Structure formats: structure tokens, C-alpha cells
Amino acid sequence: MSTFLSPARPGSALDPDPQETWEWLQAFDDVLQGDGPRRCADLMRKLIEHARSRRVTVNPVLNTPYCNTLSRESEPDYPGDLALEARITAMVRWNALVMVVRANQQGGELGGHLSSYASGADLFEVGFNHFFRGNLEPATERTADLVFFQPHSAPGIYARAFLEGRLTENHLANFRREVGGQGLSSYPHPWLMPEFWQFPTGSMGLGPLTAIYQARFMEYLQNRGLLNAGDRKVWAFVGDGEMDEPESIAGLTLASRENLQNLIVVVNCNLQRLDGPVRGNGSIVQELERLFAGAGWNVIKLLWGSDWDDLFARDTGNLILRRLHETVDGELQSYAAHDARFNRERFFSKYEELRQLISHLSDEQVDSLTRGGHDPVKIHAAFDAAVRHTGQPTVILAQTKKGYGLGRWAEGRMSAHQQKKLGSEALLSFRDRFGLPLSDKDVDDARFYRPPANSPEMLYLHECRRKLRGYVPMRSTKADKIKTPRRGVFAAFAWEAQTREMSTTVAFVKMLAGLLKDRQLAPCIVPIVADEARTFGMESLFRKVGIYSHCGQLYEPEDHDALLFYKESRDGQILQEGITEAGALSSWIAAGTSYSHHGLPVMPFYIYYSIFGFQRIGDLIWAAADSRARGFLLGATAGRTTLSGEGLQHQDGTSHLIASTISTCRAYDPCFSYELAVILEHGLQVMLENQEDVFYYLTLMNENYLHAAMPIGAEEGILRGMYLARPSTISGRAETQRVQLLGSGTILREALAAAELLEKDWCIGADVWSVTSFTELRRSGLEIERWNRFNSAQECKSTWIEQCLSSTTGPIIAASDYVRAVPDLIRAWIPRRYVTLGTDGFGRSDTRAALRRFFEVDSTSIALAAIGALADEGIVNKSVVSEFITRYDYQPSLASPWADRRPMPGVENCK
Ligand SMILES: Cc1ncc(C[n+]2csc(CCOP(=O)(O)OP(=O)(O)O)c2C)c(N)n1
């Protein structure tokens, strides 16, 4: 099972001098007896240092034996009434069980899980009765701990809230029946249950990662003097199988590096995941111990219940440990699934002395030997030690049984995770095992149970929560509104036409610097980068607002004599996360939900390479939306052709498409700095003054160009998604020879150039529309479409697209630096022939001009598409198209850029 095993008696074949070994061990035992464990540890440390100074290699030992870290002697007295708590836990277990069973009696389509909560129930209940602090209501100042619950344990959390009177029987009866109201969401979900759940943990791995960054953000706010976090804790309950997700372990060293003593992770080690054992052929507990200890965490192993204490004490030969270290998890799972006879025969009878050791125990006693995660006394001791521990984050590795209490139908079974239905025999057996006061008929009817309000259980339960200041989980949204500056204050430069070229990234950084001068807003701003600040020209902020470091700056920076030196400080404002987009986004979530968790609204601006956003960490962005996070995401170096030389892995052609799938994400692709300023001003107002639970995604480019002046009255269109940026300059000509060109982001400039070309060389009039957001246009289009469907008796409403385009003439050509599916998002509301151009296919490295020609989104390709559309309408002669193709040297025999794939059989490739 593990490399660790300390045999009691030296003298194995591998020991060349048993006598000498024995003398050393004897000497150690003498010190232990005389001077205690601390002295022993000191001596060991000195010995190892000595060995290393003599160049003797001693590999770090990161494992301890397979037993509890805390000794019986170190356990504090249990502060509660164990018998009452056991009865309360039994009731919660029952209601959780019945909730899932009833949901599945309706046909089995709703699903639900019994076994995860069954394994974690005792861990949660000790937390609820003695540790998890809540907020007093009404809460202005938050005092609550932040508790991340294992997602599949949701039924148990609902069942407790039912006992507490926070949920009704009707709620429980509607578990997983959310449509129509009164239902409970399958997993923790702040969007669906905004007054209850705080953290969406349903996607494995995101809970552990975001918990770490929540703990870190609390320290950040405290160090910046914005929050008095006191000794509030972040508790994260995660599955042992879940620890396989890369995100679960991505933040471990950050937590220890920053001494996050406010963080406690409890891994529910039931040794099983969905399909089978987590480490059938090894030991997940020992593996996680090495991992966390190596990452610098305080590790507490909570493996065995109090009834094992006596066995370990009598086991002077360490035979139990020896046997445990021979046992892999797959076998431990079998012991969980089988009865005392099996365990006695298979586990204890391997060595005669071991068999003897338990010979005084009856089968019932062997059967009831508990794992640490089911013993409230042991759990309390571990939680208490974790809460008191200073200087490090703590992980508690709690060994439990999956499906605990569900008997032979699920306990320790391979199929435990998928078990959703239990027959009446199983329910009766559960009632008897946990001594529930239910008649056979109650059991048969699968009735929920809540004792009378004045029962000792209910009085006790409420008293425990009163002492802990309120109920958990509970989500609050009370926070002050923040007055936000008008755009003239932070972006005065953006209104007039510019005389110097600039990228939208630089324009944004200038605006951010302007916002950081606003007295009221400035402290609330949280700039976040993942090691790309210099790429985006943000180094000027280093000196101005400083980079956050929990320990200040312990070195003189190489550039200390420069004006914009690399300044780290405890009250630094910038979160410089290093190369971890997942970590940076987790910080962004923590900041974006601060209004709820701390009653302190702040405004995060996370700027990153846009390709490494929705594509790389899209699931975290979903979690942000689920969390009702507010803030700005700035996808910089965006688009497929603006980044030119960087090539495929850096060129983003899809982020706007993915952004359109997240309903709280307002995505914009601005071209000119005035557009950016209007959107920023509005976004700040929406999120900080109106307190709407939305976030903004803005794409920024690094392409330098001259920025135009804002056309009068363009604001509304900028925000709605399109406005007329340039009316045709040809007037009085035949209105038929006219096209409407739609461009977005940097490709708007190509559309403007195409209009010039069409008008100058081909006598075709062109109006140019800046589409700041295809996604917002689509969203409002869908709304209006639905409204019209349901209100057919009334006059039809028209979409913004129709309002813009219906009085115009000519085919409509839209070009984008993203895949064509982005401009295609609005096809349904386009009143006439619509041709879309985009950057489908693989990207590649070249100059911007070459790339735009390659993807056919440059000005000539837009003009070609316009002429082609006019030809298709019969307005211009087809020969004009051929003439254009020849004049601009297009080679129609080349395959289309998106045909990097083989043609489908029978379909001729585009030629
Ligand atoms: C990212 C992701 N992948 C897969 C799943 C599906 N899933 C739900 S629970 C589960 C097993 C969980 O096992 P473990 O973490 O050990 O928790 P347990 O239920 O055993 O306590 C899986 C694979 C998911 N929810 N999220």
C-alpha cells in the first residue's frame, strides 16, 4: 500500500546489522519515554541535517503511518451532546435518503445520489453543530465562514435545512423539479437558488480551486485594509476521486506559499468514485498525504474511529499498521462492503497475533468498528486542530465508507454511486439501524420526518446555530451601491478623432488608469493578470498601485532605480497570478462575488490572451456565471488575424461564439476607443450601481491604428450591438447599386476600406455599420421574436437589427475576425440577402495583411463578397465579379481556408 512501514522488530533479511538497528531504536524509545515526542522530532531533524551535511542522501519522508494524526490524548472534550446529535444526524440522513428515493419513484428519470452524502454526513453535521459560522441577519458585516459543499451531497444539505425550518416538505418533494418553482436544484447553484447556495461545485475540481482563491482573496482584502476578515474560514469539502482533476491540485502551492491558515480542505476519502475505487491498487489517503505535505500543507489524517484506539493501544507489535500497509484500497472497499466474518477472516486472521488481538470482540463489535469520518469525536478533534492551526492551510483526509448506513444495498458497493432506489426492506433496515422514530407505514410511505418544534433535537439544533450566529449555507446580496464615474472623467481622450495611432489595448489601459484616479471607485478596482501585464502595456500600473504580495517585497528589484519599477507590496492592488489562467479566473470569481460573500462590492478587470479564456478555462467562466460574478473579462490580443506572427495556438477565432452561450455574459468586440469607453461606463453602472448579476467580456486588439471620433447619437447602438459608423458618400445614384457592410472589432476597418474601394472604383454605394456585439443583437432578437409569438394580436415589435437595416437597401455583408458562425448568429433577423465572412479553419503565422487575405476578411474580399451578392441579386453583371477577381489576383482554384480538412466523400472541395 505505501512505502511507509515501521516494523517493530528489526532483523529482516534487508537489515545487515539487526543488533545495531535495535540499539538505535531502543535509544529512540528511551528518549520518547523520557523527554516526549517533541524532543524526538528535534533529534530526528538534527540527525537528518547531519546526514545531509555528510552527503548521505535521505529522501524526504512525506508519509506517516495509516492511522490518525491526532492521538487520543490530544483530543479536546466533545463540546456537544453526542446522543442528541446522533439522533439529529439520523433524521437528516433519513430525509436525504427519502428525497432521492421519492424523486426516483416518479419514474427514475430525475436521478440523484444517496451514497456521497451518506459517507459525508457526520463530517457535515459536526461542522454544522460546532464549526461553520453564519451571518447574523440582517447582516451588514459578514462574519460567516465560506463553505464549499461536495456537490453530490446536496440532498443532505437540503435535508438539514428542512429540519432547521428553512425549507418545506414541498421543497424536498420537489428535489430536481425546478421548472415551475419550489424545486431544489440538483447541485449547489447560486443562480438557481440565490438565497441558499454560495458556490457552484457541480463540476469536479472547480470547488477546490476556487475555494483556495476565495481564501486568498479574503487575505488580499484584509491586507489592503478593505475588510476585517477576523478569523473567518473557508471550508472546502471535496471527494477523493475529485482530487484527480488537475484543477483540484492547481492551487495547492499558492495556498501554502501564502500561508493561508484560513483555509481548511476536507477530503472525503470513501475510497470510491463513480465507477469503482479511486486507487484500487494503492492508497489514495497516502498519496494525498504525500501530495499535500509536499506542497507545504498541514495534513491531518482522520482514519479510524474511537473504537480503534483501544486496538491500536494494545497492539504493541504494530501488527494492525503492518496489515494496513499491506492492504490496498480495493481490498479496504471490500471490507466496507462485507460483514464481520469476512473482515475477521480476510483482514485480521492474516497473522495469528492479529487474530488474537480482536478475539475479545464479538462479530457485532467488529462490524461496528468505525472509520474516522463517521466518529463525531474524532471529527471534532480534527476540525478543532485545523481551526487552531496557524501559518499553513490544513487538509483533513477523512476516511469514510461510501453509502454508509445504506446496508448491503449500497455500502462499499461498486455500484454505490449510482444507487438511487431502495426498496422497503432497505428503508426498514435503515430506520432500525439509525433508530428513527418511524412506523412501518411511515417507512413504507417514504415520509419525511421532522420532530416537533419543542423537541430536544430541534431546540438543540437551533441553539447550536444560534451560537454560530446563523444558518449555513445562506447567500446574501446586501451590499452598498458604488457611484461610478462618467466616461468624460476616465476616457476624455476617446471622443475626438486621434492623431496618433493606438491599439484598443492601450486605450483600455489608459481608461483603467483614469478609473484608478477616481476617488470612490479606485479602491474597488482589482486588476488581475496572468503574467502578461507587460504584453498589454500595463507595467505603468506596477509602480502606481503595486502588485499584491502577502509578504511585501523581500528583495530589491533589479529595476529599482527605474521610474516604473516592479513593486510588490502587502497592500498592492494588482493580482499578478503568474502563468495560471485557471488561478487568475478563480481570483476574478472571488473578486466578482465579493459583494455577496463580504458585503463589499469590488470591480475585477482580468486581462489575458483571449484564446486562453473561453477556450482554455471556459468551465470556470460558466462557474463564474453560476456564481453571479460581476466584473470585466478583457480578452486581449484577440481575433484570429490581429495577432499575426503568433500563429494558431494564440489566435482566437471562437471566444465570441462561446461567450454567446452564457446568458449573463455581455460580450462586445469594439473597434474604436469611444466604443470601448461607452461600454465600460455602462458596464460599471450596470454592475456597481444597478447591481445586476452580469459580467462583461470585451475583446481588445494590439493592432495600432487611428481612432475615429464618435458619431453623434451612437451610444445607444454601441450598447445594443450596432450603429451606422459611416453612411455612404455616394448620393443621387441608383439606390440599387448599394450594399450594407457590417464589420466588427478590427475588421470594421477593413469594412470601411472596402466601402471606399467600392465607391471609388466600382461606383457602388456602401453604408458601414459597426457591430459591437453580434451576441447582444442575437439575444435581443430572440427576446423580440418570442414576444411577437406570444403577442400575435398586438402590433409586432421589431428587433434592433431590423430597426437599423430595414430602411436601407442592398445586400448585407458581415465580416468578423471570428468564425463565420459569429456573424451568422443574427441571420434570422436580417431582412435581405446576407453574406458572412469569418476566419474559420486553423490559424497560422503571417502578417496581418496576409492573414486577412488568406481568410478572405480583408477589404478587397469584403468588396468582392459585396459585388458577388449584387450579382446574385441580378443588380450587377456576373462579369463584374470575374473582373474583380482578376484585378485583385484571387486564385479561385485554391481551396477555401477552412478546408484544412479532407473533403467529404462525394462532395467536391471548394475550388
Ligand atoms: C468535471 C466533472 N467530471 C465528471 C463528473 C461526474 N461525476 C459526478 S460525481 C463523480 C464521482 C465523484 O467521486 P468522488 O469525488 O470520489 O466523490 P464521492 O461521491 O465518492 O464522495 C463523477 C465522476 C462531474 N460532476 N464533473
Side-chain angles (χ1 to χ4, degrees):
M1 166 200 248
S2 130
T3 48
F4 178 88
L5 179 57
S6 144
R9 289 160 302 182
S12 72
L14 295 174
D15 188 344
D17 191 343
Q19 177 60 28
E20 186 179 51
T21 310
W22 185 87
E23 283 167 13
W24 275 72
L25 295 182
Q26 192 57 51
F28 182 91
D29 283 351
D30 289 347
V31 177
L32 182 62
Q33 223 163 14
D35 303 320
R38 180 168 286 189
R39 173 72 185 137
C40 282
D42 279 350
L43 280 178
M44 292 291 292
R45 240 189 321 273
K46 290 251 155 52
L47 196 59
I48 289 171
E49 274 170 25
H50 186 73
R52 286 186 176 143
S53 75
R54 297 289 183 273
R55 302 291 160 102
V56 175
T57 307
V58 186
N59 289 328
V61 179
L62 297 173
N63 270 135
T64 59
Y66 205 76
C67 59
N68 295 340
T69 302
L70 303 173
S71 65
R72 174 161 54 179
E73 295 69 38
S74 67
E75 279 165 20
D77 289 338
Y78 196 77
D81 182 328
L82 282 165
L84 262 181
E85 288 182 24
R87 291 210 291 278
I88 294 169
T89 310
M91 292 168 197
V92 182
R93 281 179 181 282
W94 169 259
N95 289 323
L97 170 70
V98 166
M99 195 184 324
V100 178
V101 167
R102 276 170 58 151
N104 284 281
Q105 280 170 350
Q106 298 164 26
E109 154 186 19
L110 296 176
H113 301 89
L114 301 169
S115 297
S116 301
Y117 175 70
S119 68
D122 299 294
L123 298 168
F124 295 131
E125 281 302 308
V126 172
F128 281 125
N129 287 326
H130 303 290
F131 290 94
F132 306 155
R133 284 165 303 185
N135 282 321
L136 277 182
E137 242 351 277
T140 39
E141 192 189 343
R142 306 287 199 274
T143 52
D145 294 335
L146 306 182
V147 187
F148 286 68
F149 290 99
Q150 238 188 306
H152 299 77
S153 63
I157 313 304
Y158 293 139
R160 173 165 248 269
F162 167 66
L163 277 199
E164 291 168 346
R166 300 198 293 141
L167 294 178
T168 63
E169 198 165 318
N170 193 35
H171 284 118
L172 264 54
N174 281 295
F175 174 54
R176 294 187 166 219
R177 300 295 306 261
E178 295 177 82
V179 176
Q182 290 285 305
L184 299 177
S185 63
S186 49
Y187 303 118
H189 205 299
W191 190 265
L192 298 171
M193 294 179 65
E195 278 149 29
F196 194 84
W197 293 116
Q198 294 181 290
F199 305 105
T201 51
S203 181
M204 314 251 95
L206 303 193
L209 180 65
T210 48
I212 290 172
Y213 281 85
Q214 284 286 358
R216 190 310 195 82
F217 192 69
M218 236 148 79
E219 290 289 300
Y220 166 89
L221 290 177
Q222 171 122 339
N223 284 332
R224 283 193 53 208
L226 298 175
L227 179 79
N228 177 9
D231 63 349
R232 289 170 67 197
K233 302 283 180 199
V234 175
W235 294 82
F237 287 82
V238 308
D240 48 359
E242 181 174 10
M243 288 306 299
D244 278 345
E245 291 285 3
E247 290 88 349
S248 299
I249 59 174
L252 297 192
T253 50
L254 170 95
S256 55
R257 194 162 63 242
E258 303 212 359
N259 313 127
L260 297 181
Q261 64 188 36
N262 60 350
L263 175 64
I264 300 167
V265 171
V266 182
V267 187
N268 177 2
C269 296
N270 56 32
L271 315 184
Q272 287 178 245
R273 46 181 164 72
L274 194 153
D275 282 343
V278 179
R279 292 289 181 275
N281 296 312
S283 166
I284 188 63
V285 168
Q286 297 298 85
E287 185 178 324
L288 291 177
E289 178 181 38
R290 286 193 294 278
L291 175 75
F292 278 95
W297 286 53
N298 173 42
V299 182
I300 298 176
K301 292 204 297 202
L302 163 61
L303 305 186
W304 306 110
S306 302
D307 39 13
W308 284 81
D309 283 338
D310 181 50
L311 294 181
F312 278 116
R314 290 152 53 104
D315 180 20
T316 51
N318 277 343
L319 283 171
I320 300 178
L321 281 181
R322 187 171 176 181
R323 183 72 189 96
L324 284 169
H325 285 266
E326 295 164 356
T327 307
V328 292
D329 282 359
E331 207 177 325
L332 274 178
Q333 183 195 334
S334 289
Y335 298 137
H338 287 90
D339 63 5
R341 246 190 56 208
F342 183 93
N343 284 281
R344 204 187 278 278
E345 276 168 20
R346 298 283 189 96
F347 184 81
F348 290 106
S349 296
K350 172 109 185 245
Y351 305 115
E352 177 53 24
E353 287 148 288
L354 187 55
R355 199 182 60 76
Q356 288 291 335
L357 195 74
I358 61 144
S359 58
H360 63 294
L361 297 182
S362 66
D363 275 358
E364 288 71 37
Q365 286 169 315
V366 172
D367 247 346
S368 65
L369 284 172
T370 44
R371 295 192 176 178
H374 297 303
D375 181 339
V377 173
K378 296 287 181 197
I379 297 169
H380 175 268
F383 284 11
D384 183 69
V387 165
R388 288 171 196 280
H389 189 77
T390 55
Q392 280 175 303
T394 293
V395 63
I396 295 169
L397 303 175
Q399 184 169 243
T400 61
K401 285 185 187 175
K402 191 140 179 169
Y404 182 71
L406 301 179
R408 64 187 156 85
W409 296 271
E411 193 164 302
R413 297 276 162 198
M414 286 294 181
S415 56
H417 194 89
Q418 299 297 70
Q419 183 66 264
K420 303 170 197 323
K421 297 179 185 168
L422 289 182
S424 58
E425 188 192 353
L427 294 181
L428 285 167
S429 151
F430 187 93
R431 174 201 63 184
D432 296 342
R433 172 165 184 175
F434 290 104
L436 286 151
L438 295 165
S439 68
D440 285 4
K441 172 137 180 27
D442 291 338
V443 173
D444 224 35
D445 294 346
R447 290 190 51 178
F448 294 118
Y449 178 73
R450 179 161 53 191
N454 60 357
S455 64
E457 291 87 354
M458 295 296 272
L459 294 174
Y460 181 87
L461 170 140
H462 286 296
E463 178 57 13
C464 284
R465 290 315 313 166
R466 192 192 61 74
K467 283 192 202 149
L468 290 163
R469 299 172 66 97
Y471 297 94
V472 170
M474 189 185 279
R475 186 176 174 277
S476 174
T477 52
K478 286 197 190 77
D480 291 338
K481 293 181 178 181
I482 292 180
K483 183 103 191 69
T484 58
R486 298 289 80 96
R487 55 184 187 258
V489 174
F490 65 89
F493 71 93
W495 311 118
E496 300 304 324
Q498 307 285 297
T499 49
R500 285 207 1 228
E501 291 192 339
M502 178 179 22
S503 67
T504 43
T505 306
V506 168
F508 164 73
V509 174
K510 281 174 86 165
M511 291 179 206
L512 183 62
L515 291 171
L516 283 163
K517 287 189 196 133
D518 182 82
R519 282 230 337 254
Q520 209 188 349
L521 183 66
C524 309
I525 292 177
V526 182
I528 303 171
V529 287
D531 199 35
E532 294 287 357
R534 289 180 201 276
T535 310
F536 309 133
M538 288 172 69
E539 60 271 36
S540 60
L541 298 184
F542 291 169
R543 166 82 185 279
K544 206 174 289 168
V545 294
I547 297 165
Y548 173 72
S549 155
H550 76 289
C551 59
Q553 194 156 33
L554 306 177
Y555 60 97
E556 182 178 85
E558 175 277 324
D559 57 354
H560 67 280
D561 47 1
L563 187 64
L564 306 176
F565 72 96
Y566 194 82
K567 180 181 148 202
E568 298 193 59
S569 67
R570 258 171 83 80
D571 62 354
Q573 202 161 343
I574 302 172
L575 284 171
Q576 162 58 272
E577 301 294 3
I579 311 171
T580 163
E581 282 77 13
L585 207 282
S586 300
S587 272
W588 186 82
I589 293 176
T593 52
S594 168
Y595 69 93
S596 168
H597 305 318
H598 309 303
L600 182 72
V602 296
M603 191 42 51
F605 289 86
Y606 169 35
I607 181 163
Y608 57 92
Y609 264 99
S610 78
I611 188 79
F612 303 127
F614 283 90
Q615 172 168 301
R616 175 74 183 237
I617 45 161
D619 201 18
L620 271 164
I621 301 180
W622 262 107
D626 290 346
S627 308
R628 295 174 169 263
R630 305 168 185 168
F632 286 96
L633 291 178
L634 300 136
T637 55
R640 185 146 278 173
T641 66
T642 62
L643 198 48
S644 53
E646 290 288 314
L648 174 59
Q649 283 89 359
H650 285 69
Q651 292 170 347
D652 164 29
T654 52
S655 65
H656 278 287
L657 190 60
I658 308 174
S660 79
T661 62
I662 300 180
S663 55
T664 63
C665 173
R666 296 191 176 167
Y668 288 91
D669 185 22
C671 174
F672 294 126
S673 43
Y674 63 80
E675 296 176 348
L676 183 60
V678 168
I679 299 162
L680 271 179
E681 179 197 54
H682 184 70
L684 288 169
Q685 231 172 317
V686 165
M687 293 184 281
L688 289 174
E689 293 188 25
N690 307 354
Q691 305 202 340
E692 288 180 37
D693 295 342
V694 295
F695 66 95
Y696 283 70
Y697 173 59
L698 313 182
T699 36
L700 303 175
M701 279 75 69
N702 62 343
E703 183 177 357
N704 291 318
Y705 47 80
L706 290 175
H707 288 247
M710 182 161 100
I712 293 164
E715 286 100 326
E716 185 182 8
I718 292 173
L719 295 172
R720 283 176 173 250
M722 71 185 283
Y723 68 94
L724 185 60
R726 175 206 182 270
S728 169
T729 57
I730 297 180
S731 55
R733 291 194 186 260
E735 279 297 298
T736 48
Q737 289 230 1
R738 192 145 182 140
V739 291
Q740 306 300 315
L741 304 183
L742 276 51
S744 104
T746 191
I747 299 299
L748 172 64
R749 296 177 59 253
E750 300 291 339
L752 288 166
E756 299 274 320
L757 176 71
L758 286 168
E759 295 194 343
K760 207 158 103 291
D761 295 357
W762 303 86
C763 287
I764 295 170
D767 300 310
V768 181
W769 299 81
S770 172
V771 180
T772 48
S773 179
F774 282 107
T775 46
E776 284 302 296
L777 289 175
R778 175 177 176 78
R779 209 162 272 157
S780 60
L782 290 170
E783 281 300 318
I784 285 176
E785 189 177 85
R786 182 174 181 276
W787 192 94
N788 287 339
R789 186 157 55 245
F790 283 101
N791 297 279
S792 51
Q794 296 181 43
E795 197 182 330
C796 267
K797 289 185 179 182
S798 56
T799 62
W800 183 249
I801 307 166
E802 287 157 347
Q803 288 177 45
C804 290
L805 294 177
S806 52
S807 61
T808 65
T809 54
I812 297 154
I813 319 300
S816 154
D817 213 12
Y818 296 83
V819 292
R820 287 170 64 184
V822 173
D824 277 335
L825 287 169
I826 61 168
R827 185 177 284 281
W829 304 282
I830 297 285
R832 296 185 299 279
R833 179 179 291 276
Y834 187 49
V835 178
T836 56
L837 303 176
T839 54
D840 295 59
F842 290 124
R844 59 206 68 211
S845 307
D846 213 309
T847 62
R848 286 191 187 106
L851 287 172
R852 285 175 189 167
R853 170 54 74 92
F854 173 79
F855 284 111
E856 296 166 9
V857 292
D858 61 340
S859 55
T860 39
S861 301
I862 295 171
L864 170 59
I867 292 173
L870 285 169
D872 287 341
E873 294 282 311
I875 294 169
V876 299
N877 200 302
K878 295 231 179 221
S879 63
V880 181
V881 182
S882 311
E883 188 190 336
F884 191 102
I885 288 173
T886 312
R887 188 180 311 178
Y888 290 99
D889 198 24
Y890 282 92
Q891 291 170 21
S893 60
L894 285 183
S896 54
W898 52 90
D900 274 331
R901 56 181 169 73
R902 282 153 171 252
M904 275 166 65
V907 177
E908 234 199 296
N909 201 4
C910 258
K911 289 214 171 130

